[in-house]
C-alpha cells in the first residue's frame, strides 16, 4: 500500500485512480499549508506578547528570484561598464551633445493598424518624422537618414496586415536591434485614454540588469531627449520581465477631492456639521500605445543581412530552462 501511495499520479495508467491519487495529494498539501500558516501566526502572536520581534516571513520562490546565475549581470562598482558607456554609440546623445532625431518608416507591405500605431509612436517620441517607404531599399534609407542628420531609424514590420516586428537602427554606426512585437493596443482602443501633450517625457527603465539588457536599455534611451519637461507630467516606461519588454505611456494627474470628517458621537453634545477637507490624490492615465517587445537579434553596425556581425541572436536551444534570462 505504501508503495502504491508513493507512486506519482502520472505513473498510474487508470484515469479514475490517477485522478483520485491526484486529489488526495492536493488535499494533503492544502492541509499542510494550513498547519504551517497557523503555526506561523501563533509564533507571531507569542512574539508580540513577549515584546519581541516576530520571526521574519519566508520570501516566496518565484522564477525571478530563482533565476540561473549569470556572470554578465551589471554591478554598481563595475568600472569597465562605465568606461564602455563613455565610448559607446549612444554616449553623444545621452550626454546631450547631440539632439535625437528619429526617422520612422514601414515595411513595403502596409497594414490596416499600421497608420494608427505610427501616429501613436510619433506622439510618444519627440522630434520623430515619418517617411513613406515606397520601393526604397533599407540600405538606401540608412544612407539618406545619415545625410539628413537623423540619429535613429524605426522600421515597423507587418505580417498579414498586422504590425508584428520593430527594427531599431542607431545612426551613424549602429547597432541594429530586431524585436518581435505582440499584444499591440493602439490609443483609440484603450478605455478612458488620455491625449499626450508635446512635452518631453520622463523615462523609466526597469530590470535591465545584464550587459545585454544594459545595452538594449541605452538604445531605447537614445530615442528620447535627456532633459524631460516635468510640467507635462508624461512618463514612458520600458519594463523588462522574463526578457519581455512591456511598453507603457502614462501621464500622472493630481486631483483635489473633498473628504468629510467623521461626526462626533456623544451624549449631551451638540452634533456639529462635518467640515469638508480637500485632499490631493495622484493617479495615472494611460495615453497609449501599449505593446510588448521580445529581442530577436542585436547586430553590430547598421542593417546588413549578408555581411553583418551579430552581438547576440536568439536561438531555440536557448529556451531549455524557464529560469534563464538574457536581459
Amino acid at each position: 500500500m505504501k508503495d502504491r501511495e508513493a507512486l506519482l499520479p502520472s505513473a498510474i495508467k487508470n484515469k479514475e485512480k490517477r485522478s483520485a491519487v491526484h486529489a488526495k495529494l492536493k488535499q494533503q498539501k492544502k492541509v499542510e499549508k494550513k498547519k504551517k500558516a497557523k503555526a506561523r501566526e501563533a509564533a507571531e502572536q507569542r512574539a508580540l506578547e513577549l515584546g519581541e520581534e516576530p520571526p521574519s516571513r519566508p520570501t516566496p520562490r518565484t522564477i525571478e528570484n530563482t533565476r540561473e546565475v549569470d556572470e554578465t549581470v551589471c554591478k554598481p562598482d563595475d568600472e569597465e561598464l562605465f568606461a564602455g558607456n563613455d565610448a559607446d554609440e549612444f554616449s553623444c546623445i545621452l550626454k546631450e551633445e547631440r539632439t535625437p532625431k528619429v526617422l520612422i518608416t514601414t515595411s513595403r507591405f502596409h497594414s490596416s493598424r499600421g497608420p494608427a500605431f505610427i501616429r501613436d509612436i510619433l506622439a510618444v517620441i519627440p522630434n520623430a518624422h515619418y517617411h513613406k517607404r515606397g520601393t526604397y531599399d533599407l540600405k538606401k534609407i540608412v544612407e539618406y537618414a545619415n545625410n539628413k542628420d537623423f540619429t535613429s531609424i524605426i522600421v515597423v514590420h507587418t505580417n498579414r496586415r498586422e504590425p508584428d516586428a520593430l527594427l531599431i537602427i542607431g545612426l551613424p554606426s549602429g547597432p541594429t536591434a530586431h524585436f518581435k512585437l505582440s499584444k499591440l493596443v493602439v490609443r483609440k482602443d484603450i478605455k478612458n485614454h488620455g491625449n499626450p501633450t508635446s512635452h518631453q517625457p520622463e523615462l523609466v527603465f526597469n530590470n535591465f540588469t545584464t550587459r545585454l539588457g544594459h545595452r538594449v536599455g541605452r538604445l531605447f534611451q537614445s530615442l528620447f531627449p535627456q532633459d524631460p519637461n516635468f510640467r507635462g507630467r508624461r512618463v514612458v516606461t520600458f519594463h523588462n520581465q522574463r526578457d519581455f519588454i512591456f511598453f507603457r505611456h502614462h501621464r500622472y494627474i493630481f486631483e483635489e477631492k473633498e473628504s468629510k470628517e467623521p461626526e462626533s458621537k456623544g451624549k449631551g453634545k451638540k452634533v456639529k456639521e462635518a467640515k469638508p477637507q480637500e485632499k490631493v490624490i495622484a493617479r495615472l492615465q494611460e495615453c497609449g500605445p501599449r505593446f510588448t517587445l521580445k529581442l530577436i537579434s542585436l547586430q553590430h553596425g547598421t542593417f546588413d543581412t549578408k555581411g553583418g556581425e551579430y552581438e547576440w541572436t536568439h536561438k531555440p536551444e536557448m529556451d531549455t530552462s524557464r529560469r534563464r534570462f538574457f536581459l
Side-chain angles (χ1 to χ4, degrees), residues 195-203 228-236 249-255 281-287:
N195 294 316
T197 59
S198 58
H199 297 84
Q200 293 179 2
E202 304 169 48
L203 301 177
N229 191 334
F230 297 102
R231 192 175 291 275
R233 306 192 306 279
R234 286 179 62 200
V235 183
V236 172
H249 179 208
H250 294 92
R251 62 192 296 263
Y252 47 93
I253 299 171
F254 298 106
E255 293 179 336
I281 296 172
R283 67 179 180 89
L284 288 175
Q285 183 182 36
E286 191 168 359
C287 298

Side-chain angles (χ1 to χ4, degrees), residues 28-45:
Q28 285 176 359
K29 284 183 180 178
K30 193 175 180 182
V31 170
E32 287 174 6
K33 191 177 178 181
K34 281 186 177 180
K35 282 182 181 178
K36 286 181 181 178
K38 284 183 179 179
R40 187 170 60 244
E41 286 176 6
E44 288 177 359
Q45 188 66 30

Side-chain angles (χ1 to χ4, degrees), residues 146-289:
N146 270 324
N147 294 333
K148 293 293 182 180
D149 291 330
F150 283 94
T151 59
S152 299
I153 298 175
I154 298 177
V155 182
V156 181
H157 185 269
T158 57
N159 184 24
R160 296 180 181 177
R161 304 185 65 81
E162 192 72 17
D164 74 327
L166 281 186
L167 192 69
I168 302 177
I169 306 171
L171 298 176
S173 55
T176 301
H178 184 205
F179 296 94
K180 180 185 175 183
L181 174 69
S182 60
K183 297 184 180 179
L184 171 64
V185 182
V186 294
R187 185 196 309 153
K188 65 179 182 180
D189 295 334
I190 296 175
K191 189 177 180 182
N192 299 326
H193 66 82
N195 294 316
T197 59
S198 58
H199 297 84
Q200 293 179 2
E202 304 169 48
L203 301 177
V204 178
F205 292 89
N206 290 332
N207 298 335
F208 291 89
T209 54
T210 64
R211 290 286 184 97
L212 178 64
H214 188 73
R215 188 156 171 76
V216 170
R218 284 175 70 83
L219 174 65
F220 286 127
Q221 199 175 352
S222 67
L223 301 174
F224 297 87
Q226 302 306 303
D227 52 341
N229 191 334
F230 297 102
R231 192 175 291 275
R233 306 192 306 279
R234 286 179 62 200
V235 183
V236 172
T237 305
F238 292 90
H239 176 77
N240 172 42
Q241 187 170 356
R242 302 180 190 179
D243 286 350
F244 288 92
I245 302 168
F246 299 92
F247 175 89
R248 297 293 184 268
H249 179 208
H250 294 92
R251 62 192 296 263
Y252 47 93
I253 299 171
F254 298 106
E255 293 179 336
E256 289 187 355
K257 287 192 175 182
E258 290 186 354
S259 62
K260 293 182 179 180
E261 289 181 347
E263 296 180 358
S264 59
K265 295 180 181 179
K267 294 181 180 179
K269 293 183 179 179
K270 293 181 179 179
V271 179
K272 295 182 180 179
E273 292 183 0
K275 294 180 180 179
Q277 286 186 339
E278 289 186 352
K279 284 187 177 180
V280 178
I281 296 172
R283 67 179 180 89
L284 288 175
Q285 183 182 36
E286 191 168 359
C287 298

